[in-house]
Amino acid sequence: MSLIKLVVLFAYIALATSKPSKDPALPVDDLKDLLLASMENTISLTTLATQQATKVSAITTSLTEARTEIDQLKSKINKLEEGQTEQDKNLSDTKVEIIGLTSDLSAKIGALEEGQTEQDKNLNGTTSEIIGLTSGLATALTQMEDFKNESQTEVESLKSEVDDLTVKVEEDSWPEGSYCILGSGGSCPDGFTRYQGWTKAIWTYRNSNGYTQAATFGDSIIGYHSGRGPSNARNDWNTDIVITSCCK
């Protein structure tokens, strides 16, 4: 039953009960049945609204966690890329140093080869030293190249994870089209506009035994308060309905 029908029904029941007549428009039993039906519909609306508010909260939490994880992965990628750039620079500097050292050693070998027998002996020792040093430098270069390749592989893997998470965020986003959801938390998701409407002081027979089930779901409320009704008694009860929505 829509809100307007519910209000009209309450007004009709209030009029019927506040002005007794020997020939009422509807029997009292029929009025009770109508009232009970409207209360059951109101309770169903409350349950549906609560489920929807829970779903909205879960989706919002999932989106927030996914965006946070994406930011963390992007930061890690940036650090790895910075480290890789530094490694490339060091590798280049080492290669230049090796070339210079090789050139110096070659010149030294040439000078020793022109010397006497004692110098030839020293030349053999120096040559062995050069071979050992060259082997060590070659090993270092190989290790640096391996590290560079491993870093590049890890960067590509992290980029793939970012792409997967981006797809997940897009899948968890709100679907296209025009529709409304119940508002919660005082604001609406991006792309939605907040609306709020209410009807208050709807007279009810009493506030217990199923006549009014007070509930709060998100920023929407069904409640009641005491006051003067058609009977002009201070212990009459009035129902208040406030509905808050986010629409796009």
Side-chain angles (χ1 to χ4, degrees), residues 63 65-81 153-171:
L63 287 173
E65 292 175 350
R67 290 191 177 100
T68 299
E69 188 172 355
I70 287 175
D71 291 339
Q72 292 174 347
L73 288 173
K74 286 181 177 180
S75 177
K76 188 174 181 179
I77 288 173
N78 290 335
K79 291 181 178 179
L80 285 173
E81 289 177 340
T153 300
E154 186 173 359
V155 167
E156 293 300 328
S157 176
L158 289 173
K159 286 182 178 179
S160 177
E161 289 185 29
V162 169
D163 292 339
D164 293 341
L165 285 172
T166 301
V167 171
K168 180 181 178 182
V169 168
E170 292 175 352
E171 291 176 349

Side-chain angles (χ1 to χ4, degrees), residues 70-210:
I70 287 175
D71 291 339
Q72 292 174 347
L73 288 173
K74 286 181 177 180
S75 177
K76 188 174 181 179
I77 288 173
N78 290 335
K79 291 181 178 179
L80 285 173
E81 289 177 340
E82 291 174 0
Q84 182 176 340
T85 300
E86 186 64 21
Q87 289 293 333
D88 290 343
K89 182 177 181 300
N90 293 338
L91 178 61
S92 178
D93 293 341
T94 302
K95 287 181 178 178
V96 171
E97 184 178 352
I98 290 173
I99 292 173
L101 181 60
T102 302
S103 178
D104 292 341
L105 291 173
S106 297
K108 185 177 180 181
I109 290 173
L112 289 173
E113 286 177 344
E114 295 175 357
Q116 299 175 351
T117 303
E118 185 65 27
Q119 291 176 329
D120 290 340
K121 181 179 179 181
N122 293 335
L123 176 61
N124 291 334
T126 303
T127 302
S128 298
E129 182 181 353
I130 292 172
I131 293 173
L133 179 60
T134 303
S135 176
L137 290 173
T139 300
L141 285 173
T142 300
Q143 292 175 346
M144 293 178 70
E145 288 289 351
D146 291 342
F147 177 78
K148 176 183 176 181
N149 293 334
E150 291 175 358
S151 297
Q152 184 64 33
T153 300
E154 186 173 359
V155 167
E156 293 300 328
S157 176
L158 289 173
K159 286 182 178 179
S160 177
E161 289 185 29
V162 169
D163 292 339
D164 293 341
L165 285 172
T166 301
V167 171
K168 180 181 178 182
V169 168
E170 292 175 352
E171 291 176 349
D172 290 340
S173 298
W174 294 101
E176 297 296 332
S178 298
Y179 53 90
C180 295
I181 60 176
L182 288 174
S184 179
S187 62
C188 293
D190 292 341
F192 287 79
T193 302
R194 183 180 174 88
Y195 297 95
Q196 188 176 69
W198 58 81
T199 179
K200 299 182 178 181
I202 304 172
W203 181 81
T204 55
Y205 180 69
R206 63 179 62 177
N207 70 324
S208 60
N209 296 331

Side-chain angles (χ1 to χ4, degrees), residues 201-230:
I202 304 172
W203 181 81
T204 55
Y205 180 69
R206 63 179 62 177
N207 70 324
S208 60
N209 296 331
Y211 283 88
T212 297
Q213 176 64 50
T216 299
F217 34 92
D219 294 337
S220 299
I221 300 172
I222 295 177
Y224 53 82
H225 64 273
S226 63
R228 292 184 181 276

